[in-house]
């Protein structure tokens, strides 16, 4: 699934997307002073990056949103417009927990999972597009929080954007490659993802083939399995021992896991178990880095509530069309015109 270019807000602040909407409810059900403490704790968990200020106006245009009749009649309507959200999995909150789960250390970070989540107008259907980390792209010049900017890089690995410039460069690179404006940014780290799965009591996934990967520490026979957090994370990261061992095989497992997580959240009656609800909310907020448009419980709750009509069977998962790179048989490049047509459909 770094150090951070963003700052922690003072006194504040898949499946994953719906889980975000549970956070405020977790505080409210605890009652009285405990609710106040829980709200503060969950709010303060979240880290954020001011991507809009960093990138300015040199970006794809925002989609034009036309308010619906029901929205105009409501004092506080839930948003219904289409959204594009860049979701990354990373080891950015480095530490003992992430290291034990195969993460990096304080000197660096990786972003091996990248998905553009397009939510249709009305927010009852979504398309999740995975971008292979081994895709060669032109990485644009990115602003750095320390001042200055990175140089333009040609034939650069897609996931190098995060390594050299954090979330800001990841967003700018995705927008440069796709021509699609990212309305929001969500990043979840290794240990937080594992903690979320554990807080939900595990997740059920069916694999079509045996998985035997010493590097991700995952050994599963083909079939249906109930995975704990560490196993689910290993499934999301595994690529050796499946298919041709490339990142493309891993993407299929990641998409399967996202749908399974959505189904698990929908099947779990968290409101009937305040303690479990709080554990889920703590795992979600404690592992998130967002843009400043989603860095409070109120904003996350509004997003979560607006997605209440989105179910796993209305989520389409695809991979950006790619072909083997002419310059390197171990890398891929976007396959045109198919990739361009896909991105155009999401604008």
């Amino acid at each position: 699934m770094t150090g951070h270019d963003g700052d922690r807000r003072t006194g504040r602040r898949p499946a994953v997307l719906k889980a975000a909407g549970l956070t405020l409810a977790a505080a409210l059900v605890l009652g009285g002073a405990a609710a106040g403490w829980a709200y503060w704790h969950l709010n303060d968990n979240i880290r954020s990056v001011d991507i809009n200020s960093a990138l300015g106006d040199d970006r794809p245009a925002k989609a034009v949103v036309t308010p619906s009749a029901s929205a105009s009649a409501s004092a506080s309507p839930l948003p219904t417009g289409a959204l594009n959200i860049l979701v990354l999995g990373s080891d950015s909150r480095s530490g003992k927990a992430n290291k034990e789960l195969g993460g990096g250390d304080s000197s660096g970070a990786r972003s091996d999972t990248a998905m553009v989540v397009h939510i249709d107008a009305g927010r009852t259907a979504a398309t999740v597009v995975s971008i292979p980390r081994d895709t060669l792209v032109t990485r644009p010049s990115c602003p750095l929080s320390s001042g200055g900017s990175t140089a333009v890089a040609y034939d650069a690995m897609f996931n190098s954007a995060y390594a050299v410039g954090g979330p800001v460069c990841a967003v700018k690179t995705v927008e440069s490659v796709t021509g699609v404006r990212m309305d929001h940014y969500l990043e979840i780290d290794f240990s937080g993802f594992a903690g979320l799965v554990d807080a939900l009591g595990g997740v059920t996934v069916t694999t079509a083939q045996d998985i035997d990967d010493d590097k991700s520490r995952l050994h599963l026979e083909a079939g249906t399995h109930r995975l704990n957090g560490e196993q689910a994370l290993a499934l999301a990261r595994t690529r050796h021992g499946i298919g041709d061992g490339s990142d493309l095989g891993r993407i299929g497992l990641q998409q399967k896991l996202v749908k399974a997580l959505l189904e698990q959240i929908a099947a779990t009656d968290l409101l009937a178990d305040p303690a479990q609800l709080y554990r889920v909310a703590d795992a979600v907020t404690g592992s998130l880095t967002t843009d400043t448009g989603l860095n409070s419980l109120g904003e996350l709750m509004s997003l979560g509530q607006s997605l209440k009509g989105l179910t796993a069977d209305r989520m389409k998962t695809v991979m950006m069309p790619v072909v083997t790179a002419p310059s390197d048989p171990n890398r891929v490049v976007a396959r045109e015109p198919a990739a361009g047509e896909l991105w155009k459909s999401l604008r």
Side-chain angles (χ1 to χ4, degrees), residues 89-176:
S90 78
D91 60 356
S92 63
R93 294 193 180 193
S94 300
K96 182 179 179 182
N98 272 331
K99 289 179 183 178
E100 290 176 348
L101 292 168
D105 55 32
S106 58
S107 64
R110 294 169 294 185
S111 171
D112 289 343
T113 302
M115 297 179 178
V116 173
V117 179
H118 173 78
I119 302 167
D120 292 353
R123 304 198 179 180
T124 59
T127 301
V128 179
V129 185
S130 294
I131 303 177
R133 68 168 192 170
D134 295 338
T135 305
L136 297 181
V137 301
T138 296
R139 192 182 69 224
S141 174
C142 298
L144 297 173
S145 59
S146 57
S149 59
T150 65
V152 176
Y154 301 95
D155 288 331
M157 285 263 290
F158 168 75
N159 70 342
S160 69
Y162 184 91
V164 302
V168 169
C169 197
V171 170
K172 185 165 186 179
T173 299
V174 168
E175 291 184 343
S176 176

Side-chain angles (χ1 to χ4, degrees), residues 51-337:
I51 289 171
N52 287 338
S53 293
L55 295 184
D57 296 326
D58 185 20
R59 307 176 66 184
K62 289 183 178 180
V64 176
V65 178
T66 302
S68 65
S70 59
S72 60
S74 173
S76 301
L78 288 173
T80 59
L83 280 180
N84 289 300
I85 304 173
L86 177 59
V87 179
L88 294 187
S90 78
D91 60 356
S92 63
R93 294 193 180 193
S94 300
K96 182 179 179 182
N98 272 331
K99 289 179 183 178
E100 290 176 348
L101 292 168
D105 55 32
S106 58
S107 64
R110 294 169 294 185
S111 171
D112 289 343
T113 302
M115 297 179 178
V116 173
V117 179
H118 173 78
I119 302 167
D120 292 353
R123 304 198 179 180
T124 59
T127 301
V128 179
V129 185
S130 294
I131 303 177
R133 68 168 192 170
D134 295 338
T135 305
L136 297 181
V137 301
T138 296
R139 192 182 69 224
S141 174
C142 298
L144 297 173
S145 59
S146 57
S149 59
T150 65
V152 176
Y154 301 95
D155 288 331
M157 285 263 290
F158 168 75
N159 70 342
S160 69
Y162 184 91
V164 302
V168 169
C169 197
V171 170
K172 185 165 186 179
T173 299
V174 168
E175 291 184 343
S176 176
V177 168
T178 67
V180 178
R181 173 73 170 245
M182 295 297 109
D183 300 294
H184 291 298
Y185 172 83
L186 285 173
E187 178 187 324
I188 187 166
D189 72 10
F190 280 166
S191 62
F193 176 79
L196 170 60
V197 173
D198 284 335
L200 287 167
V203 63
T204 300
V205 174
T206 300
T207 59
Q209 62 184 100
D210 295 346
I211 298 174
D212 191 12
D213 187 350
D214 289 334
K215 290 192 175 182
S216 68
R217 311 174 200 171
L218 185 65
H219 304 278
L220 290 176
E221 294 182 353
T224 300
H225 303 274
R226 185 71 174 179
L227 305 181
N228 63 24
E230 184 173 354
Q231 291 170 320
L233 177 61
L235 183 67
R237 299 184 64 225
T238 194
R239 64 188 177 95
H240 300 283
I242 58 169
D244 60 2
S246 73
D247 190 47
L248 306 187
R250 170 165 56 186
I251 283 174
L253 293 176
Q254 290 173 347
Q255 293 176 338
K256 185 188 297 284
L257 188 56
V258 167
K259 284 195 170 185
L261 195 56
L262 261 178
E263 291 166 351
Q264 181 61 40
I265 290 171
T268 305
D269 187 4
L270 292 170
L271 293 178
D273 187 345
Q276 185 185 21
L277 175 57
Y278 180 80
R279 288 194 299 271
V280 169
D282 195 31
V284 171
T285 58
S287 64
L288 278 184
T289 299
T290 73
D291 66 281
T292 49
L294 287 178
N295 63 352
S296 74
L297 289 180
E299 289 156 345
L300 286 172
M301 184 179 181
S302 177
L303 174 62
Q305 289 178 328
S306 77
L307 300 176
K308 62 185 179 181
L310 177 60
T311 57
D313 62 339
R314 293 183 62 83
M315 176 179 286
K316 179 182 179 181
T317 56
V318 299
M319 184 178 71
M320 181 182 78
V322 295
V323 295
T324 301
S327 60
D328 187 341
N330 296 314
R331 301 288 179 260
V332 297
V333 294
R335 176 167 59 85
E336 300 296 355

